[in-house]
Amino acid sequence: MEGRLSRMTASLHLTPEQVQAVRDILMRQTQAMSAGMQQAFSGKYDKQELMRLAKGAGNADEQIKALLTPDQQAAFPTCQQEEATHNASLAANQELLQMQSTLGLTAEQLDRVYAALYEVSFNQLTGSAKPNVANQADAMQWALDQKTKALEPLLTETQLENSRQQQACQ
């Protein structure tokens, strides 16, 4: 959250008052997302509670845009795109490091696997690929399935099976 706020501050030239207001908005969003993840991981899904938290957090992007000057609003889409690029790169790098050590990726596979992981993450972050699911647990499974589909042509059968086993453990 603080990293996103810092990048937004630099990109949009936020005033100190705007920084505090955006921090509050992002904190509410982070808390709602954290609660959803905790429920998904614990297997105790409470749809009513998640809906209440999401409603309380509201639409962060709309709330942030309402705080911005016209010039900042014009720059906001670029800021969002940069944020998606940053987060997709982080996610792809993290997964690539894990896969490299557990699946024994070859040098030839590294760049192609990174590119596939990046594309899946970027599409999910920008909404280009959206799951049609009922809850957070199903959304997580959908995301794993998308990665598996992207990696199938890049991994050996043994690597693919090991990857599926790791996903099942997660």
Side-chain angles (χ1 to χ4, degrees), residues 52-147:
R52 184 188 69 73
L53 289 170
K55 186 176 180 181
N59 182 322
D61 287 343
E62 291 302 318
Q63 293 174 47
I64 291 168
K65 282 198 290 191
L67 299 170
L68 302 177
T69 67
D71 287 344
Q72 290 170 323
Q73 286 180 1
F76 191 61
T78 301
C79 180
Q80 290 176 300
Q81 188 79 7
E82 290 168 355
E83 187 66 15
T85 299
H86 174 79
N87 288 331
S89 180
L90 287 176
N93 274 318
Q94 180 183 7
E95 290 184 70
L96 182 65
L97 286 173
Q98 181 183 7
M99 292 177 78
Q100 186 176 7
S101 64
T102 59
L103 301 182
L105 298 176
T106 66
E108 297 85 38
Q109 289 174 307
L110 290 176
D111 287 340
R112 295 182 5 220
V113 168
Y114 171 84
L117 293 170
Y118 174 87
E119 183 175 357
V120 169
S121 292
F122 184 81
N123 289 340
Q124 290 171 1
L125 291 166
T126 60
S128 300
K130 288 186 178 183
N132 185 16
V133 296
N135 60 52
Q136 188 72 24
D138 289 343
M140 291 172 68
Q141 184 60 53
W142 177 86
L144 290 174
D145 292 344
Q146 295 301 303
K147 288 176 191 161

Coordinates of all heavy atoms in Angstrom, one line a residue, residues 52-147:
R52 N -19.9 -6.5 3.1 CA -19.9 -5.4 4.0 C -18.6 -4.6 3.9 O -18.6 -3.4 3.8 CB -20.2 -5.8 5.4 CG -20.4 -4.7 6.4 CD -20.5 -5.2 7.8 NE -19.2 -5.8 8.4 CZ -18.2 -5.0 8.7 NH1 -18.1 -3.7 8.6 NH2 -17.1 -5.7 9.1
L53 N -17.5 -5.4 4.0 CA -16.2 -4.7 3.9 C -15.9 -4.0 2.6 O -15.4 -2.9 2.5 CB -15.1 -5.7 4.2 CG -15.0 -6.3 5.6 CD1 -14.0 -7.4 5.7 CD2 -14.5 -5.2 6.6
A54 N -16.3 -4.7 1.5 CA -16.1 -4.1 0.2 C -16.9 -2.9 0.0 O -16.5 -1.8 -0.5 CB -16.5 -5.1 -0.9
K55 N -18.2 -2.9 0.5 CA -19.0 -1.7 0.4 C -18.5 -0.6 1.3 O -18.5 0.6 0.8 CB -20.4 -2.1 0.9 CG -21.4 -0.9 0.7 CD -22.8 -1.4 1.1 CE -23.8 -0.2 0.9 NZ -25.1 -0.5 1.3
G56 N -17.9 -0.9 2.4 CA -17.3 0.1 3.3 C -16.1 0.7 2.7 O -15.8 1.9 2.8
A57 N -15.3 -0.1 1.9 CA -14.1 0.4 1.3 C -14.5 1.2 0.0 O -13.8 2.2 -0.3 CB -13.2 -0.7 0.9
G58 N -15.5 0.8 -0.6 CA -16.0 1.6 -1.8 C -15.0 1.4 -3.0 O -14.1 0.5 -2.9
N59 N -15.2 2.1 -4.1 CA -14.4 2.0 -5.3 C -13.2 2.9 -5.1 O -13.4 4.2 -5.2 CB -15.2 2.4 -6.5 CG -14.4 2.2 -7.8 OD1 -13.2 2.6 -7.8 ND2 -15.1 1.8 -8.8
A60 N -12.1 2.4 -4.8 CA -10.9 3.2 -4.5 C -10.5 4.1 -5.6 O -10.2 5.3 -5.4 CB -9.7 2.3 -4.1
D61 N -10.5 3.6 -6.9 CA -10.1 4.4 -8.0 C -11.1 5.6 -8.1 O -10.6 6.8 -8.4 CB -10.1 3.6 -9.3 CG -8.9 2.7 -9.4 OD1 -8.0 2.9 -8.6 OD2 -9.0 1.8 -10.2
E62 N -12.4 5.4 -8.0 CA -13.3 6.5 -8.1 C -13.1 7.5 -6.9 O -13.2 8.8 -7.2 CB -14.7 6.0 -8.1 CG -15.1 5.3 -9.4 CD -14.9 6.1 -10.6 OE1 -15.3 7.3 -10.6 OE2 -14.4 5.5 -11.6
Q63 N -12.8 7.0 -5.8 CA -12.6 7.9 -4.6 C -11.3 8.7 -4.8 O -11.3 9.9 -4.5 CB -12.5 7.1 -3.3 CG -13.8 6.5 -2.9 CD -13.6 5.6 -1.7 OE1 -12.9 5.9 -0.7 NE2 -14.1 4.3 -1.8
I64 N -10.3 8.1 -5.3 CA -9.0 8.8 -5.6 C -9.2 9.8 -6.7 O -8.8 11.0 -6.5 CB -7.9 7.8 -5.9 CG1 -7.6 6.9 -4.7 CG2 -6.7 8.5 -6.4 CD1 -6.7 5.7 -5.0
K65 N -9.9 9.5 -7.7 CA -10.1 10.4 -8.8 C -10.8 11.7 -8.4 O -10.6 12.8 -8.8 CB -10.8 9.8 -10.0 CG -9.9 8.9 -10.9 CD -10.6 8.6 -12.2 CE -11.7 7.7 -12.1 NZ -12.2 7.1 -13.4
A66 N -11.7 11.5 -7.4 CA -12.5 12.6 -6.9 C -11.6 13.6 -6.1 O -12.0 14.8 -6.0 CB -13.6 12.1 -6.0
L67 N -10.5 13.2 -5.7 CA -9.6 14.0 -4.9 C -8.6 14.8 -5.8 O -7.9 15.7 -5.4 CB -8.7 13.2 -4.0 CG -9.4 12.4 -2.9 CD1 -8.4 11.4 -2.3 CD2 -10.0 13.3 -1.9
L68 N -8.5 14.4 -7.1 CA -7.5 14.9 -8.0 C -7.9 16.2 -8.7 O -9.1 16.4 -9.0 CB -7.1 13.8 -9.0 CG -6.6 12.5 -8.4 CD1 -6.3 11.5 -9.6 CD2 -5.4 12.7 -7.6
T69 N -7.0 17.0 -9.1 CA -7.2 18.1 -10.0 C -7.4 17.6 -11.4 O -7.1 16.5 -11.7 CB -6.0 19.1 -10.0 OG1 -4.9 18.4 -10.6 CG2 -5.6 19.5 -8.6
P70 N -7.9 18.5 -12.3 CA -8.2 18.0 -13.6 C -6.9 17.5 -14.3 O -6.9 16.5 -15.0 CB -8.7 19.3 -14.4 CG -9.4 20.0 -13.3 CD -8.6 19.8 -12.0
D71 N -5.8 18.1 -14.1 CA -4.5 17.7 -14.7 C -4.1 16.3 -14.1 O -3.6 15.4 -14.8 CB -3.4 18.7 -14.4 CG -3.5 19.9 -15.3 OD1 -4.2 19.9 -16.3 OD2 -2.8 20.9 -14.9
Q72 N -4.3 16.1 -12.8 CA -4.0 14.8 -12.2 C -4.9 13.7 -12.7 O -4.5 12.6 -12.9 CB -4.1 14.9 -10.6 CG -3.0 15.8 -10.0 CD -3.2 16.1 -8.5 OE1 -4.4 16.3 -8.1 NE2 -2.2 16.1 -7.8
Q73 N -6.2 14.1 -12.9 CA -7.2 13.1 -13.4 C -6.8 12.7 -14.8 O -6.9 11.5 -15.1 CB -8.6 13.7 -13.4 CG -9.2 13.8 -12.0 CD -10.6 14.4 -12.1 OE1 -11.1 14.7 -13.1 NE2 -11.2 14.5 -10.9
A74 N -6.3 13.6 -15.6 CA -5.8 13.2 -16.9 C -4.6 12.3 -16.9 O -4.5 11.4 -17.8 CB -5.5 14.5 -17.7
A75 N -3.8 12.4 -15.9 CA -2.6 11.5 -15.8 C -2.9 10.2 -15.0 O -2.1 9.3 -15.0 CB -1.5 12.3 -15.0
F76 N -4.1 10.1 -14.4 CA -4.4 9.0 -13.6 C -4.4 7.6 -14.4 O -3.8 6.7 -13.9 CB -5.8 9.2 -12.9 CG -6.1 8.2 -11.8 CD1 -5.3 8.0 -10.7 CD2 -7.2 7.4 -11.9 CE1 -5.6 7.1 -9.7 CE2 -7.5 6.4 -11.0 CZ -6.7 6.3 -9.9
P77 N -5.0 7.6 -15.6 CA -4.9 6.3 -16.3 C -3.5 5.8 -16.6 O -3.2 4.6 -16.5 CB -5.6 6.6 -17.6 CG -6.5 7.7 -17.3 CD -5.8 8.5 -16.3
T78 N -2.6 6.7 -16.8 CA -1.2 6.3 -17.0 C -0.6 5.8 -15.7 O 0.2 4.8 -15.7 CB -0.3 7.5 -17.6 OG1 -0.9 8.0 -18.8 CG2 1.1 7.2 -17.7
C79 N -0.9 6.5 -14.6 CA -0.5 6.0 -13.3 C -1.0 4.6 -13.0 O -0.2 3.8 -12.5 CB -1.0 7.0 -12.3 SG -0.5 6.6 -10.6
Q80 N -2.2 4.3 -13.3 CA -2.8 3.0 -13.1 C -2.1 2.0 -14.0 O -1.8 0.9 -13.5 CB -4.3 3.0 -13.5 CG -5.1 3.8 -12.5 CD -6.6 3.8 -12.9 OE1 -6.9 4.3 -14.0 NE2 -7.4 3.3 -12.0
Q81 N -1.8 2.3 -15.2 CA -1.1 1.4 -16.1 C 0.3 1.1 -15.6 O 0.8 -0.1 -15.6 CB -1.0 2.0 -17.5 CG -0.5 1.1 -18.6 CD -1.5 0.1 -19.1 OE1 -2.7 0.2 -18.7 NE2 -1.1 -0.8 -19.9
E82 N 1.0 2.1 -15.1 CA 2.3 1.9 -14.5 C 2.3 1.0 -13.3 O 3.1 0.2 -13.1 CB 3.0 3.3 -14.2 CG 3.3 4.1 -15.4 CD 3.7 5.6 -15.0 OE1 3.5 6.0 -13.8 OE2 4.1 6.3 -15.9
E83 N 1.2 1.2 -12.5 CA 1.1 0.4 -11.3 C 0.8 -1.1 -11.7 O 1.4 -2.0 -11.1 CB -0.1 0.9 -10.4 CG -0.2 0.2 -9.1 CD 0.9 0.5 -8.1 OE1 1.7 1.4 -8.3 OE2 1.0 -0.3 -7.2
A84 N 0.0 -1.3 -12.7 CA -0.2 -2.7 -13.1 C 1.1 -3.3 -13.7 O 1.4 -4.5 -13.4 CB -1.3 -2.7 -14.2
T85 N 1.8 -2.5 -14.4 CA 3.1 -3.0 -15.0 C 4.1 -3.4 -13.8 O 4.7 -4.4 -13.9 CB 3.7 -1.9 -15.9 OG1 2.9 -1.7 -17.0 CG2 5.1 -2.3 -16.4
H86 N 4.2 -2.5 -12.8 CA 5.0 -2.7 -11.7 C 4.6 -4.0 -10.9 O 5.5 -4.9 -10.7 CB 5.0 -1.5 -10.7 CG 5.7 -1.7 -9.5 ND1 7.1 -1.6 -9.3 CD2 5.2 -2.0 -8.2 CE1 7.4 -1.8 -8.1 NE2 6.3 -2.1 -7.4
N87 N 3.3 -4.1 -10.6 CA 2.9 -5.3 -9.9 C 3.0 -6.6 -10.7 O 3.3 -7.6 -10.1 CB 1.4 -5.1 -9.4 CG 1.4 -4.0 -8.3 OD1 2.4 -3.9 -7.5 ND2 0.3 -3.3 -8.2
A88 N 2.7 -6.6 -12.0 CA 2.8 -7.8 -12.8 C 4.3 -8.2 -12.8 O 4.6 -9.4 -12.8 CB 2.3 -7.5 -14.2
S89 N 5.2 -7.3 -12.9 CA 6.6 -7.6 -12.9 C 7.0 -8.2 -11.6 O 7.8 -9.2 -11.6 CB 7.4 -6.4 -13.2 OG 8.8 -6.7 -13.3
L90 N 6.6 -7.7 -10.5 CA 6.9 -8.2 -9.2 C 6.4 -9.6 -9.1 O 7.1 -10.6 -8.6 CB 6.4 -7.4 -8.1 CG 7.0 -6.0 -7.8 CD1 6.3 -5.3 -6.7 CD2 8.5 -6.2 -7.4
A91 N 5.1 -9.8 -9.5 CA 4.5 -11.2 -9.3 C 5.2 -12.2 -10.2 O 5.5 -13.3 -9.8 CB 3.0 -11.1 -9.7
A92 N 5.5 -11.8 -11.5 CA 6.2 -12.7 -12.4 C 7.6 -13.1 -11.9 O 8.0 -14.2 -11.9 CB 6.3 -12.1 -13.8
N93 N 8.3 -12.1 -11.4 CA 9.7 -12.3 -10.8 C 9.6 -13.3 -9.6 O 10.4 -14.2 -9.5 CB 10.4 -11.0 -10.4 CG 11.1 -10.4 -11.6 OD1 11.7 -11.1 -12.4 ND2 10.9 -9.1 -11.7
Q94 N 8.7 -13.0 -8.7 CA 8.5 -13.9 -7.5 C 8.2 -15.3 -7.9 O 8.9 -16.3 -7.4 CB 7.5 -13.3 -6.6 CG 7.3 -14.1 -5.4 CD 6.1 -13.6 -4.5 OE1 5.4 -12.7 -4.9 NE2 6.0 -14.2 -3.3
E95 N 7.3 -15.5 -8.8 CA 6.9 -16.8 -9.2 C 8.0 -17.5 -10.0 O 8.3 -18.7 -9.9 CB 5.7 -16.8 -10.1 CG 4.4 -16.5 -9.2 CD 3.2 -16.5 -10.0 OE1 2.8 -17.6 -10.4 OE2 2.6 -15.4 -10.3
L96 N 8.7 -16.7 -10.8 CA 9.8 -17.3 -11.6 C 10.9 -17.8 -10.7 O 11.5 -18.9 -10.9 CB 10.4 -16.2 -12.6 CG 11.5 -16.7 -13.5 CD1 11.1 -17.8 -14.4 CD2 12.1 -15.5 -14.3
L97 N 11.3 -17.0 -9.7 CA 12.3 -17.5 -8.7 C 11.9 -18.8 -8.0 O 12.7 -19.7 -7.9 CB 12.5 -16.4 -7.6 CG 13.3 -15.2 -8.1 CD1 13.3 -14.1 -7.0 CD2 14.7 -15.6 -8.5
Q98 N 10.7 -18.9 -7.6 CA 10.2 -20.1 -7.0 C 10.2 -21.3 -8.0 O 10.7 -22.4 -7.6 CB 8.8 -19.9 -6.5 CG 8.2 -21.2 -5.8 CD 6.8 -21.0 -5.4 OE1 6.1 -20.0 -5.7 NE2 6.3 -22.0 -4.6
M99 N 9.8 -21.0 -9.2 CA 9.8 -22.1 -10.2 C 11.2 -22.5 -10.6 O 11.4 -23.7 -10.8 CB 9.0 -21.6 -11.4 CG 7.5 -21.5 -11.2 SD 6.6 -20.9 -12.6 CE 6.5 -22.4 -13.5
Q100 N 12.0 -21.5 -10.7 CA 13.4 -21.8 -11.1 C 14.1 -22.8 -10.1 O 14.7 -23.8 -10.5 CB 14.2 -20.6 -11.2 CG 15.6 -20.7 -11.7 CD 16.3 -19.4 -11.9 OE1 15.9 -18.4 -11.5 NE2 17.5 -19.4 -12.5
S101 N 13.8 -22.6 -8.8 CA 14.5 -23.5 -7.9 C 13.8 -24.8 -7.7 O 14.4 -25.8 -7.4 CB 14.6 -22.8 -6.5 OG 13.3 -22.5 -6.0
T102 N 12.4 -24.8 -7.9 CA 11.7 -26.1 -7.6 C 11.5 -26.9 -8.9 O 11.4 -28.1 -8.8 CB 10.3 -25.8 -7.0 OG1 9.6 -24.9 -7.8 CG2 10.5 -25.2 -5.6
L103 N 11.5 -26.3 -10.0 CA 11.2 -27.0 -11.3 C 12.5 -27.2 -12.1 O 12.5 -28.0 -13.1 CB 10.2 -26.3 -12.1 CG 8.8 -26.1 -11.5 CD1 7.9 -25.4 -12.5 CD2 8.2 -27.4 -11.0
G104 N 13.6 -26.6 -11.7 CA 14.8 -26.7 -12.5 C 14.7 -26.2 -13.9 O 15.0 -26.9 -14.9
L105 N 14.2 -25.0 -14.1 CA 14.0 -24.4 -15.4 C 15.4 -24.2 -16.1 O 16.4 -23.9 -15.5 CB 13.4 -23.0 -15.3 CG 11.9 -23.0 -14.7 CD1 11.5 -21.5 -14.6 CD2 11.0 -23.8 -15.5
T106 N 15.4 -24.4 -17.4 CA 16.6 -24.3 -18.2 C 16.8 -22.8 -18.5 O 15.8 -22.0 -18.4 CB 16.5 -25.1 -19.5 OG1 15.5 -24.5 -20.3 CG2 16.3 -26.5 -19.2
A107 N 17.9 -22.4 -19.0 CA 18.2 -21.1 -19.4 C 17.3 -20.6 -20.5 O 16.8 -19.5 -20.5 CB 19.7 -20.9 -19.8
E108 N 17.0 -21.6 -21.4 CA 16.1 -21.2 -22.5 C 14.6 -21.0 -22.0 O 13.9 -20.2 -22.6 CB 16.0 -22.4 -23.5 CG 17.4 -22.6 -24.2 CD 18.3 -23.6 -23.4 OE1 17.7 -24.5 -22.8 OE2 19.5 -23.3 -23.4
Q109 N 14.2 -21.6 -20.9 CA 12.9 -21.5 -20.4 C 12.7 -20.2 -19.6 O 11.5 -19.6 -19.6 CB 12.5 -22.6 -19.5 CG 12.3 -23.9 -20.3 CD 12.1 -25.1 -19.3 OE1 12.9 -25.3 -18.3 NE2 11.0 -25.8 -19.5
L110 N 13.7 -19.6 -19.0 CA 13.6 -18.5 -18.1 C 12.8 -17.3 -18.7 O 11.8 -16.9 -18.1 CB 14.9 -18.1 -17.5 CG 15.6 -19.1 -16.6 CD1 17.0 -18.6 -16.2 CD2 14.7 -19.3 -15.4
D111 N 13.3 -16.8 -19.8 CA 12.7 -15.6 -20.4 C 11.2 -15.9 -20.8 O 10.3 -15.0 -20.6 CB 13.5 -15.1 -21.5 CG 14.8 -14.4 -21.1 OD1 14.9 -14.0 -19.9 OD2 15.7 -14.2 -21.9
R112 N 11.0 -17.0 -21.4 CA 9.7 -17.4 -21.9 C 8.7 -17.6 -20.7 O 7.5 -17.1 -20.8 CB 9.7 -18.6 -22.8 CG 10.5 -18.2 -24.1 CD 10.6 -19.3 -25.1 NE 9.9 -20.6 -24.8 CZ 10.3 -21.8 -25.1 NH1 11.5 -21.9 -25.6 NH2 9.6 -22.8 -24.9
V113 N 9.1 -18.2 -19.7 CA 8.3 -18.4 -18.5 C 8.0 -17.1 -17.8 O 6.8 -16.8 -17.5 CB 8.9 -19.4 -17.5 CG1 8.2 -19.4 -16.2 CG2 8.9 -20.8 -18.1
Y114 N 9.0 -16.2 -17.7 CA 8.8 -14.9 -17.1 C 7.7 -14.2 -18.0 O 6.8 -13.6 -17.4 CB 10.1 -14.1 -17.1 CG 9.8 -12.6 -16.7 CD1 9.6 -12.3 -15.3 CD2 9.6 -11.7 -17.7 CE1 9.3 -11.0 -15.0 CE2 9.3 -10.3 -17.3 CZ 9.2 -10.0 -16.0 OH 8.9 -8.7 -15.6
A115 N 7.9 -14.1 -19.3 CA 6.9 -13.4 -20.1 C 5.5 -14.0 -20.0 O 4.6 -13.2 -19.9 CB 7.4 -13.5 -21.6
A116 N 5.4 -15.3 -19.9 CA 4.0 -15.9 -19.7 C 3.4 -15.5 -18.4 O 2.2 -15.1 -18.3 CB 4.1 -17.4 -19.9
L117 N 4.2 -15.5 -17.3 CA 3.7 -15.2 -16.0 C 3.4 -13.7 -15.9 O 2.4 -13.3 -15.3 CB 4.8 -15.5 -14.9 CG 5.0 -17.0 -14.7 CD1 6.2 -17.2 -13.8 CD2 3.8 -17.7 -14.1
Y118 N 4.2 -12.9 -16.5 CA 4.0 -11.4 -16.6 C 2.6 -11.1 -17.3 O 1.8 -10.4 -16.8 CB 5.1 -10.7 -17.3 CG 4.8 -9.2 -17.4 CD1 5.1 -8.3 -16.4 CD2 4.2 -8.7 -18.6 CE1 4.8 -7.0 -16.6 CE2 3.9 -7.4 -18.8 CZ 4.2 -6.5 -17.8 OH 3.9 -5.2 -17.9
E119 N 2.4 -11.7 -18.4 CA 1.2 -11.5 -19.2 C 0.0 -11.9 -18.5 O -1.0 -11.1 -18.4 CB 1.3 -12.2 -20.6 CG 0.1 -11.9 -21.4 CD 0.2 -12.6 -22.8 OE1 1.2 -13.2 -23.1 OE2 -0.8 -12.4 -23.6
V120 N 0.0 -13.0 -17.8 CA -1.2 -13.5 -17.1 C -1.4 -12.5 -15.9 O -2.6 -12.1 -15.7 CB -1.0 -14.9 -16.5 CG1 -2.0 -15.3 -15.5 CG2 -1.0 -15.9 -17.7
S121 N -0.4 -12.1 -15.2 CA -0.6 -11.2 -14.1 C -1.1 -9.8 -14.5 O -2.0 -9.3 -14.0 CB 0.7 -11.0 -13.3 OG 1.1 -12.2 -12.7
F122 N -0.5 -9.3 -15.6 CA -0.9 -8.0 -16.1 C -2.3 -8.0 -16.6 O -3.1 -7.1 -16.3 CB 0.1 -7.6 -17.3 CG -0.2 -6.2 -17.8 CD1 0.3 -5.1 -17.2 CD2 -1.0 -6.0 -19.0 CE1 0.0 -3.8 -17.6 CE2 -1.3 -4.8 -19.4 CZ -0.8 -3.7 -18.8
N123 N -2.7 -9.1 -17.3 CA -4.1 -9.2 -17.7 C -5.1 -9.3 -16.6 O -6.2 -8.7 -16.6 CB -4.3 -10.4 -18.7 CG -3.6 -10.2 -20.0 OD1 -3.4 -9.0 -20.4 ND2 -3.4 -11.2 -20.7
Q124 N -4.7 -9.9 -15.5 CA -5.6 -10.0 -14.3 C -5.6 -8.7 -13.6 O -6.7 -8.2 -13.2 CB -5.1 -11.1 -13.4 CG -5.3 -12.5 -13.9 CD -4.6 -13.6 -13.1 OE1 -4.0 -13.3 -12.1 NE2 -4.8 -14.8 -13.5
L125 N -4.5 -8.0 -13.5 CA -4.5 -6.7 -12.8 C -5.2 -5.6 -13.6 O -5.8 -4.7 -13.0 CB -3.0 -6.3 -12.6 CG -2.3 -7.1 -11.6 CD1 -0.8 -6.8 -11.7 CD2 -2.8 -6.8 -10.2
T126 N -5.2 -5.6 -14.9 CA -5.8 -4.6 -15.7 C -7.3 -4.9 -16.0 O -8.0 -4.1 -16.6 CB -5.1 -4.3 -17.0 OG1 -5.0 -5.6 -17.8 CG2 -3.7 -3.8 -16.7
G127 N -7.7 -6.1 -15.7 CA -9.1 -6.5 -15.9 C -9.3 -7.1 -17.3 O -10.4 -7.4 -17.7
S128 N -8.2 -7.3 -18.1 CA -8.3 -7.8 -19.4 C -8.8 -9.3 -19.4 O -9.4 -9.8 -20.3 CB -6.9 -7.8 -20.2 OG -6.5 -6.5 -20.3
A129 N -8.5 -10.0 -18.3 CA -8.9 -11.3 -18.0 C -9.6 -11.3 -16.7 O -9.0 -11.0 -15.7 CB -7.7 -12.3 -18.1
K130 N -10.9 -11.6 -16.7 CA -11.6 -11.6 -15.4 C -12.3 -13.0 -15.2 O -12.9 -13.5 -16.1 CB -12.7 -10.5 -15.4 CG -12.2 -9.1 -15.3 CD -13.3 -8.2 -15.2 CE -12.8 -6.8 -15.0 NZ -13.8 -5.8 -14.8
P131 N -12.2 -13.5 -14.0 CA -12.9 -14.7 -13.7 C -14.4 -14.5 -13.5 O -14.9 -13.4 -13.1 CB -12.3 -15.2 -12.4 CG -11.9 -13.9 -11.7 CD -11.5 -13.0 -12.8
N132 N -15.2 -15.5 -13.9 CA -16.7 -15.4 -13.6 C -16.9 -16.4 -12.5 O -17.4 -17.5 -12.8 CB -17.4 -15.8 -14.9 CG -18.9 -15.6 -14.7 OD1 -19.4 -15.0 -13.8 ND2 -19.7 -16.2 -15.6
V133 N -16.6 -16.0 -11.3 CA -16.7 -16.9 -10.2 C -17.4 -16.2 -9.0 O -17.6 -15.0 -9.0 CB -15.2 -17.3 -9.7 CG1 -14.5 -18.1 -10.7 CG2 -14.4 -16.1 -9.3
A134 N -17.8 -17.1 -8.1 CA -18.7 -16.6 -7.0 C -17.9 -16.1 -5.7 O -18.4 -15.4 -4.9 CB -19.6 -17.7 -6.6
N135 N -16.7 -16.6 -5.6 CA -16.0 -16.2 -4.3 C -14.5 -16.1 -4.5 O -14.0 -16.5 -5.6 CB -16.3 -17.2 -3.2 CG -15.9 -18.6 -3.5 OD1 -14.8 -18.9 -3.9 ND2 -16.9 -19.6 -3.4
Q136 N -13.8 -15.7 -3.5 CA -12.3 -15.5 -3.6 C -11.6 -16.8 -3.8 O -10.6 -16.8 -4.5 CB -11.9 -14.8 -2.3 CG -10.4 -14.3 -2.3 CD -10.2 -13.1 -3.2 OE1 -11.1 -12.3 -3.4 NE2 -9.0 -12.9 -3.6
A137 N -12.0 -17.9 -3.2 CA -11.3 -19.1 -3.4 C -11.4 -19.6 -4.8 O -10.4 -20.0 -5.4 CB -11.9 -20.2 -2.5
D138 N -12.6 -19.4 -5.5 CA -12.7 -19.8 -6.9 C -11.9 -18.8 -7.7 O -11.3 -19.3 -8.8 CB -14.2 -19.7 -7.3 CG -15.0 -20.8 -6.7 OD1 -14.4 -21.8 -6.2 OD2 -16.2 -20.7 -6.7
A139 N -11.8 -17.6 -7.4 CA -11.0 -16.6 -8.1 C -9.5 -17.0 -8.1 O -8.8 -16.9 -9.1 CB -11.2 -15.2 -7.6
M140 N -9.0 -17.5 -6.9 CA -7.7 -17.9 -6.8 C -7.4 -19.1 -7.6 O -6.3 -19.2 -8.3 CB -7.3 -18.2 -5.3 CG -7.3 -16.9 -4.5 SD -7.1 -17.2 -2.7 CE -5.5 -17.9 -2.6
Q141 N -8.3 -20.1 -7.6 CA -8.2 -21.3 -8.5 C -8.2 -20.9 -9.9 O -7.4 -21.4 -10.7 CB -9.3 -22.3 -8.2 CG -9.2 -23.6 -9.0 CD -7.9 -24.3 -8.6 OE1 -7.5 -24.6 -7.5 NE2 -7.1 -24.6 -9.7
W142 N -9.0 -20.0 -10.3 CA -9.1 -19.5 -11.7 C -7.7 -18.9 -12.1 O -7.2 -19.2 -13.2 CB -10.2 -18.5 -11.9 CG -10.2 -17.9 -13.3 CD1 -10.9 -18.4 -14.3 CD2 -9.6 -16.7 -13.7 NE1 -10.7 -17.6 -15.4 CE2 -9.9 -16.5 -15.1 CE3 -8.8 -15.7 -13.1 CZ2 -9.5 -15.4 -15.8 CZ3 -8.4 -14.6 -13.8 CH2 -8.7 -14.5 -15.2
A143 N -7.1 -18.1 -11.2 CA -5.8 -17.5 -11.5 C -4.8 -18.5 -11.7 O -3.9 -18.4 -12.6 CB -5.5 -16.5 -10.4
L144 N -4.8 -19.5 -10.8 CA -3.8 -20.6 -11.0 C -4.0 -21.4 -12.3 O -3.0 -21.7 -13.0 CB -3.9 -21.6 -9.8 CG -3.4 -21.1 -8.5 CD1 -3.8 -22.1 -7.4 CD2 -1.9 -20.8 -8.5
D145 N -5.2 -21.6 -12.7 CA -5.5 -22.3 -14.0 C -5.0 -21.5 -15.1 O -4.5 -22.0 -16.1 CB -7.0 -22.5 -14.1 CG -7.6 -23.6 -13.1 OD1 -6.8 -24.3 -12.5 OD2 -8.8 -23.6 -12.9
Q146 N -5.2 -20.1 -15.1 CA -4.7 -19.3 -16.2 C -3.2 -19.4 -16.3 O -2.6 -19.5 -17.4 CB -5.1 -17.8 -15.9 CG -6.5 -17.6 -15.9 CD -7.2 -17.9 -17.2 OE1 -6.8 -17.4 -18.3 NE2 -8.2 -18.8 -17.2
K147 N -2.5 -19.4 -15.2 CA -1.0 -19.6 -15.2 C -0.6 -20.9 -15.8 O 0.3 -21.0 -16.6 CB -0.4 -19.4 -13.8 CG -0.5 -18.0 -13.4 CD 0.0 -17.9 -11.9 CE -0.3 -16.5 -11.4 NZ -0.3 -16.4 -10.0

